[in-house]
Amino acid sequence: MTFDRAIKIAPSILAADFANFGAECEAIEAQGADWVHVDVMDGHFVPNITFGPATCAALRPHIKGVMDVHLMIAPVDPYIEAFAQAGADVITAHVEAGPHIHRTLQAISAAGAKAGVALNPGTPAHAVADLLDLTDLICLMTVNPGFGGQKFIDMGDKIRSLRAMIGDRPVHIEIDGGVDPDTAPLVARAGADVLVAGSAVFKGGSVDNPGPYGDNIRAIRQAASGVYT
Ligand code: DX5
Ligand code: ZN
C-alpha cells in the first residue's frame, strides 16, 4: 500500500448481501471502489454481531485491492494475528476498546498490517495525540458504531483538529458513518481522505444489477472532490 491523500471510497460490506459477500466485493471493485471496508462486530463492544477472521479469510481472494478491517470488538489483542493471517491490509482498533491501545497498534504493525485507530463520536481528537507516530490511519466515527444506515453526526471541527495534529505524517483520516453525496463534501473539505459508505453505495443495486453501485460511488467521489456533474 502506498500512501496518498487522494479521496478513496471504501464501501462497507455491512450493507451488502451477507449470503453473497464474495460476489459483492468483486462487484463494488469492478464499479470503482478503492478500498473494501469490512466491519467486524462482537455483540459486546457494540450491540450487534457480524463475523470474524474466517469470513475475512474467505473474502480475501475476492478483493484485489485494500481490505480495510474495522474491529468493533473488545478485547482486540487476542485476535490481531488471526485478522492479519486472514489477509487484512489495514486493521483498525477502537481507542475505547481497552486500556492498551498503544500496545495494540504496535501489535498490528508487528503482525504486518497497517495500524488504524478509531474514535467514537464522544471521544475527543486528543485521545490519539500520543499515537500519531504509531498509526497509519485514524478512523473518525460519524455515527455511534454498531449499525449501518444511521444519521451522520457532523464532526467537522474534530476532523480539522486531527488534520492539524497529523501535519506531514503519512496518516490517513477515514470517516465512517452516514457518508453520502451530501455529507462527503463536508468531511473532504475538513481534511478526510478515506470515505467509508455502506447504505449510500449499496442502495438500488445488487450483484445482478451492479450499475447503481458505480453510480453511487461516482456521486460520492464527485461530491467529495467538489466536481458536480
Ligand atoms: C458502523 C460501521 C460503518 C457502517 C457505515 O458501525 O462501522 O462502517 O457500516 O454504514 P453507513 O454508510 O450506512 O452509515
Ligand atoms: Zn466501519
Side-chain angles (χ1 to χ4, degrees), residues 12-15 37 39 41 46 70 72 94 141 143-151 176-179 196-201:
S12 163
I13 60 166
L14 190 61
H37 185 82
D39 285 309
M41 303 185 185
V46 289
H70 178 193
M72 287 160 276
H94 270 260
M141 298 301 302
V143 297
N144 286 293
F147 303 97
Q150 302 183 80
K151 192 174 168 346
D176 190 2
V179 172
V196 175
S199 344
V201 166

Side-chain angles (χ1 to χ4, degrees), residues 124-147:
H126 66 71
V128 297
D130 293 330
L131 302 171
L132 297 173
D133 292 321
L134 288 175
T135 190
D136 300 292
L137 173 147
I138 298 170
C139 173
L140 208 152
M141 298 301 302
T142 40
V143 297
N144 286 293
F147 303 97

Side-chain angles (χ1 to χ4, degrees), residues 62-75:
H62 299 275
I63 299 172
K64 292 199 195 93
V66 171
M67 182 159 92
D68 173 33
V69 177
H70 178 193
L71 298 181
M72 287 160 276
I73 66 174

Side-chain angles (χ1 to χ4, degrees), residues 25-120:
C25 290
E26 290 172 10
I28 52 175
E29 283 197 328
Q31 293 294 325
D34 299 294
W35 293 10
V36 177
H37 185 82
V38 179
D39 285 309
V40 176
M41 303 185 185
D42 67 353
H44 165 73
F45 178 68
V46 289
N48 192 9
I49 300 177
T50 55
F51 46 76
T55 301
C56 293
L59 285 174
R60 181 67 269 187
H62 299 275
I63 299 172
K64 292 199 195 93
V66 171
M67 182 159 92
D68 173 33
V69 177
H70 178 193
L71 298 181
M72 287 160 276
I73 66 174
V76 179
D77 294 9
Y79 303 101
I80 290 170
E81 195 57 43
F83 284 103
Q85 287 297 320
D89 297 290
V90 182
I91 298 177
T92 297
H94 270 260
V95 75
E96 306 86 1
H100 298 297
I101 185 67
H102 189 285
R103 173 185 290 148
T104 300
L105 295 175
Q106 288 178 319
I108 294 171
S109 299
K114 297 289 183 192
V117 58
L119 296 175
N120 283 335

Side-chain angles (χ1 to χ4, degrees), residues 125-130 132 160-169:
H126 66 71
V128 297
D130 293 330
L132 297 173
R160 280 183 283 275
S161 304
L162 273 175
R163 187 67 198 84
M165 282 163 59
I166 288 169
D168 291 334
R169 295 176 181 87

